[in-house]
């Protein structure tokens, strides 16, 4: 039985890795599409969203089968439960990528004001989201609480950029009233990137749960080993 469940857990981890890569690429493409207003790239994100949804359903089904057939306990059970929740969070990240792509397809502007984008730090925010997702994956692969803690710290930058964006866009609208619809819509992009950071933080929490059986959810990361969010 031990050998059988080990092989199933390895396959489950492989599926999560593939889902992770797919979602990372979705966020990467969506971010690039916003910065360049590349509608073709945005359309690619929309099409691939179906693959993300299909992957989520497949992993959910596999987790159910493992629990039903092998009755995992202790660290094996924590691993399976963590993968289930990570899968859900990855699917939500895929939804955010799709939502960002929709902004690009709706946008009637040929290009976005480069100076505005610089002030908004949109490219920096996009890069930080990808960096957090990459770091969380390393934390899982290396079973490292230290790397997971690094994810919590990075989320602060996303909160800061998102908080500043509304004021910057409001000032821009006053100077460029013709851009009001684009600016209002752009607020949603920042919100989706900020929420992406929250879901990646959730993933890091599940990694800590898997490794140490510590539940950080709803605790504000106040444990002495983890920095506050």
């Amino acid at each position: 039985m031990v050998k059988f469940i080990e092989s199933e857990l390895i396959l489950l981890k492989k599926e999560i890795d593939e889902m992770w890569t797919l979602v990372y690429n979705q966020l990467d493409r969506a971010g690039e599409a916003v910065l360049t207003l590349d509608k073709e790239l945005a359309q690619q994100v929309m099409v691939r969203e179906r693959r993300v949804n299909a992957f989520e359903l497949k992993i959910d089904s596999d987790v159910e089968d493992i629990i039903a057939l092998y009755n995992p306990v202790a660290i094996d059970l924590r691993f399976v439960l963590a993968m289930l929740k990570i899968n859900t969070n990855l699917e939500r990240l895929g939804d955010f990528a799709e939502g960002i792509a929709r902004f690009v397809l709706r946008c009637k502007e040929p290009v976005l004001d480069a100076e505005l984008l610089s002030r908004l730090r949109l490219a920096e925010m996009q890069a930080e989201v990808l960096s957090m997702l990459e770091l969380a994956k390393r934390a899982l692969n290396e079973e490292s609480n230290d790397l997971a803690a690094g994810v919590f710290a990075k989320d602060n930058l996303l909160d800061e950029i998102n908080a500043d964006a509304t004021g910057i866009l409001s000032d821009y609208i006053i100077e460029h009233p013709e851009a009001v619809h684009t600016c209002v819509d752009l607020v949603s992009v920042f919100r989706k990137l900020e929420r992406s950071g929250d879901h990646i933080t959730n993933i890091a929490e599940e990694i800590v749960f898997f490794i140490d059986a510590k539940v950080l959810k709803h605790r504000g990361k106040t444990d002495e080993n983890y920095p506050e969010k």
Side-chain angles (χ1 to χ4, degrees):
M1 177 67 78
V2 173
K3 287 185 179 179
F4 284 122
I5 192 171
E6 280 184 1
S7 64
E8 291 297 326
L9 296 182
I10 289 171
L11 287 174
L12 177 60
K13 175 61 167 53
K14 182 175 181 295
E15 286 182 330
I16 287 291
D17 283 344
E18 291 173 358
M19 172 75 154
W20 210 304
T21 298
L22 176 59
V23 169
Y24 181 96
N25 289 336
Q26 286 286 89
L27 285 169
D28 189 19
R29 289 190 180 97
E32 181 63 24
V34 169
L35 294 172
T36 61
L37 286 188
D38 186 332
K39 295 187 185 304
E40 184 177 342
L41 194 57
Q43 190 61 46
Q44 290 177 19
V45 173
M46 300 290 293
V47 170
R48 289 189 173 94
E49 169 63 11
R50 290 194 291 269
R51 290 184 57 199
V52 175
N53 293 336
F55 238 127
E56 184 207 15
L57 294 175
K58 174 67 164 60
I59 292 172
D60 278 354
S61 177
D62 289 344
V63 166
E64 291 171 4
D65 289 346
I66 290 171
I67 292 174
L69 295 173
Y70 300 102
N71 193 27
V73 297
I75 192 170
D76 287 344
L77 178 59
R78 293 205 308 273
F79 175 81
V80 172
L81 293 176
M83 294 307 102
L84 179 63
K85 293 182 180 180
I86 287 173
N87 182 45
T88 298
N89 281 286
L90 288 173
E91 191 276 333
R92 289 295 294 131
L93 291 173
D95 287 344
F96 293 139
E98 180 189 26
I100 292 170
R102 286 186 186 279
F103 161 81
V104 176
L105 295 175
R106 286 194 305 265
C107 187
K108 293 179 170 44
E109 304 291 335
V111 292
L112 294 176
D113 187 326
E115 183 181 348
L116 174 63
L117 292 180
S118 177
R119 288 168 56 202
L120 288 169
R121 300 161 67 189
L122 180 57
E124 182 182 356
M125 193 179 196
Q126 161 71 9
E128 191 72 356
V129 168
L130 295 177
S131 175
M132 287 176 69
L133 193 54
E134 209 165 21
L135 185 60
K137 189 173 186 181
R138 280 185 57 207
L140 176 60
N141 290 338
E142 299 177 25
E143 298 186 11
S144 169
N145 281 335
D146 289 339
L147 292 177
V151 174
F152 304 144
K154 279 177 169 290
D155 192 40
N156 294 329
L157 178 61
L158 300 186
D159 294 338
E160 173 193 325
I161 295 175
N162 180 59
D164 292 342
T166 303
I168 294 171
L169 287 167
S170 296
D171 292 342
Y172 188 84
I173 288 171
I174 293 172
E175 298 173 4
H176 304 84
E178 73 282 357
V180 60
H181 294 299
T182 297
C183 289
V184 170
D185 215 9
L186 193 55
V187 170
S188 70
V189 172
F190 282 86
R191 179 57 178 160
K192 287 177 174 62
L193 289 172
E194 188 271 334
R195 290 292 292 133
S196 293
D198 291 341
H199 281 273
I200 298 169
T201 297
N202 291 345
I203 289 172
E205 289 174 350
E206 295 306 324
I207 293 168
V208 172
F209 167 71
F210 155 56
I211 297 169
D212 275 351
K214 289 183 179 179
V215 178
L216 300 185
K217 192 174 184 180
H218 303 312
R219 288 176 57 185
K221 320 299 184 300
T222 54
D223 187 286
E224 63 180 359
N225 292 317
Y226 308 99
E228 291 192 9
K229 182 177 175 182

